[in-house]
């Protein structure tokens, strides 16, 4: 007859004092190590007060609103709902935004790694910049995470500081693509007048090489992002490049023409660009 063992249950009363002290020390040490590891990868020093670590965030409709935005069912919006400022802030500063970004960039790399590419130097991957390669979370954390109406003067002042951190997941993808022999191009909605500060910012955070950096000039005044980026991708293909991948945080980054063999959408519930 096999003796059935009882489940092991450890109660605080049964735990000797010395074991308690050891356990407390172990937890403190482990927590400190974990926080140290994360500290090297944070993209903004603010941390959410709640909404992470399994705790619940109120107003579940904000989660549904974010889903609608990411699936492009909610379009042409100007600001996030005022009631969702806290929810979006918790999401952007919490673990979930980083995990969602990691899933996207991981799939992008798996796709690229599995391609049987001709090594002729013409394979190209297109990256957007804002909220794709560079993160403007330090700015949006001070401006309601998208609840405020976009202020071009204030945002331009932030861009000109040239201190936007890298989105870590995108930087890892960038480096892995280069290691595969895939070249990189940046196409951004930033204006041509911001070229120098954008180049410096990219290099300072680890994006140290690219084929071309395309910024929006006056010839596209009044054009939508879809029209502008489609035209610039077409120019790249006409010059001989094969766009095998295209990644951005806005649907307008990956819609239109000449979008590439496959597109990838990073999360961004803070703003919408048509």
């Amino acid at each position: 007859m096999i003796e059935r063992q009882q489940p092991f249950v450890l109660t605080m009363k049964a735990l000797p004092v010395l074991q308690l002290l050891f356990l407390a020390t172990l937890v403190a040490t482990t927590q400190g190590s974990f926080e140290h590891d994360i500290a090297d990868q944070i993209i903004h020093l603010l941390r959410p007060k709640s909404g992470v670590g399994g705790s619940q965030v109120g107003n579940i409709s904000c989660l549904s609103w974010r889903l609608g935005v990411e699936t492009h069912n909610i379009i042409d919006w100007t600001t996030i709902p005022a009631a969702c400022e806290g929810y979006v802030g918790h999401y952007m500063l919490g673990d979930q935004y980083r995990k969602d970004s990691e899933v996207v960039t991981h799939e992008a790399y798996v796709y690229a790694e599995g391609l049987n590419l001709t090594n002729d130097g013409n394979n190209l991957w297109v990256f957007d910049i804002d909220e794709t390669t560079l993160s403007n979370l330090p700015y949006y954390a001070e401006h309601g995470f998208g609840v405020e109406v976009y202020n071009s003067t204030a945002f331009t002042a932030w861009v000109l500081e040239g201190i936007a951190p890298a989105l870590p997941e995108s930087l890892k993808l960038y480096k892995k693509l280069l290691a595969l022999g895939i070249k990189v191009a940046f196409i951004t909605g930033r204006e041509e007048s911001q070229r120098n500060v954008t180049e410096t910012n990219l290099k300072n955070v680890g994006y140290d090489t690219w084929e071309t950096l395309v910024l929006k000039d006056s010839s596209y005044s009044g054009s939508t992002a879809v029209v502008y980026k489609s035209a610039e991708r077409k120019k790249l293909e006409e010059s001989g490049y094969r766009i095998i991948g295209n990644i951005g945080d806005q649907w307008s980054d990956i819609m239109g023409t000449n979008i590439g063999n496959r597109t990838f959408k990073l999360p961004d519930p803070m703003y919408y660009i048509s």
Side-chain angles (χ1 to χ4, degrees):
M1 180 177 178
I2 299 176
E3 182 179 356
R4 186 176 180 181
Q5 295 185 359
Q6 296 296 319
F8 179 71
V9 179
L10 182 65
T11 65
M12 296 301 288
K13 290 183 179 179
L15 198 62
V17 173
L18 288 178
Q19 288 176 303
L20 277 173
L21 290 173
F22 172 78
L23 180 61
T25 302
L26 178 62
V27 170
T29 302
T30 303
Q31 182 177 357
S33 176
F34 174 78
E35 291 177 349
H36 176 73
D37 291 340
I38 293 297
D40 293 335
Q41 301 186 51
I42 60 176
I43 50 182
H44 191 262
L45 293 178
L46 292 179
R47 305 306 303 159
K49 297 180 180 178
S50 62
V52 295
S55 59
Q56 297 297 311
V57 178
N59 197 356
I60 193 67
S61 63
C62 290
L63 192 156
S64 299
W65 176 83
R66 179 169 66 87
L67 176 64
V69 166
E70 297 298 356
T71 54
H72 207 226
N73 290 316
I74 299 175
I75 63 175
D76 296 330
W77 49 279
T78 303
T79 61
I80 70 170
C84 296
E85 177 181 356
Y87 170 80
V88 172
H90 291 149
Y91 171 73
M92 296 301 297
L93 295 180
D95 293 335
Q96 195 60 50
Y97 170 60
R98 295 291 301 281
K99 290 177 180 177
D100 291 348
S101 299
E102 184 176 11
V103 166
V104 177
T105 55
H106 173 73
E107 289 303 312
Y109 176 67
V110 169
Y111 154 72
E113 187 183 32
L115 295 175
N116 184 18
L117 298 174
T118 302
N119 189 20
D120 58 3
N122 293 326
N123 299 308
L124 188 71
W125 196 287
V126 174
F127 281 81
D128 172 53
I129 290 185
D130 293 304
E131 272 55 70
T132 298
T133 47
L134 297 179
S135 172
N136 298 301
L137 262 179
Y139 171 83
Y140 283 104
E142 300 298 325
H143 293 271
F145 299 100
V147 75
E148 295 182 11
V149 175
Y150 174 70
N151 184 316
S152 61
T153 300
F155 185 72
T156 297
W158 155 256
V159 168
L160 292 177
E161 290 186 46
I163 57 174
L167 185 65
E169 290 70 31
S170 294
L171 182 58
K172 291 176 185 176
L173 173 63
Y174 162 86
K175 292 182 178 295
K176 288 179 178 179
L177 292 175
L178 291 179
L180 291 175
I182 299 171
K183 295 180 177 179
V184 167
F186 297 109
I187 303 180
T188 175
R190 293 187 178 193
E191 298 179 358
E192 181 62 40
S193 61
Q194 299 168 344
R195 175 175 294 278
N196 289 342
V197 69
T198 300
E199 287 182 345
T200 301
N201 197 161
L202 286 169
K203 290 179 179 179
N204 284 345
V205 298
Y207 301 100
D208 47 19
T209 185
W210 53 80
E211 288 299 290
T212 184
L213 168 59
V214 180
L215 295 98
K216 194 173 184 179
D217 62 31
S218 58
S219 67
Y220 291 106
S221 178
S223 298
T224 65
V226 171
V227 169
Y228 155 59
K229 294 197 171 187
S230 293
E232 291 299 326
R233 290 191 298 263
K234 183 179 180 180
K235 291 179 183 178
L236 290 173
E237 291 188 331
E238 289 176 342
S239 66
Y241 290 111
R242 288 185 297 273
I243 301 177
I244 62 170
N246 180 8
I247 188 168
D249 67 296
Q250 297 290 313
W251 281 95
S252 54
D253 297 328
I254 57 177
M255 294 177 70
T257 64
N258 307 87
I259 60 175
N261 293 351
R262 187 168 173 185
T263 62
F264 296 87
K265 168 73 168 64
L266 285 165
D268 183 2
M270 297 188 297
Y271 56 85
Y272 177 86
I273 298 176
S274 61

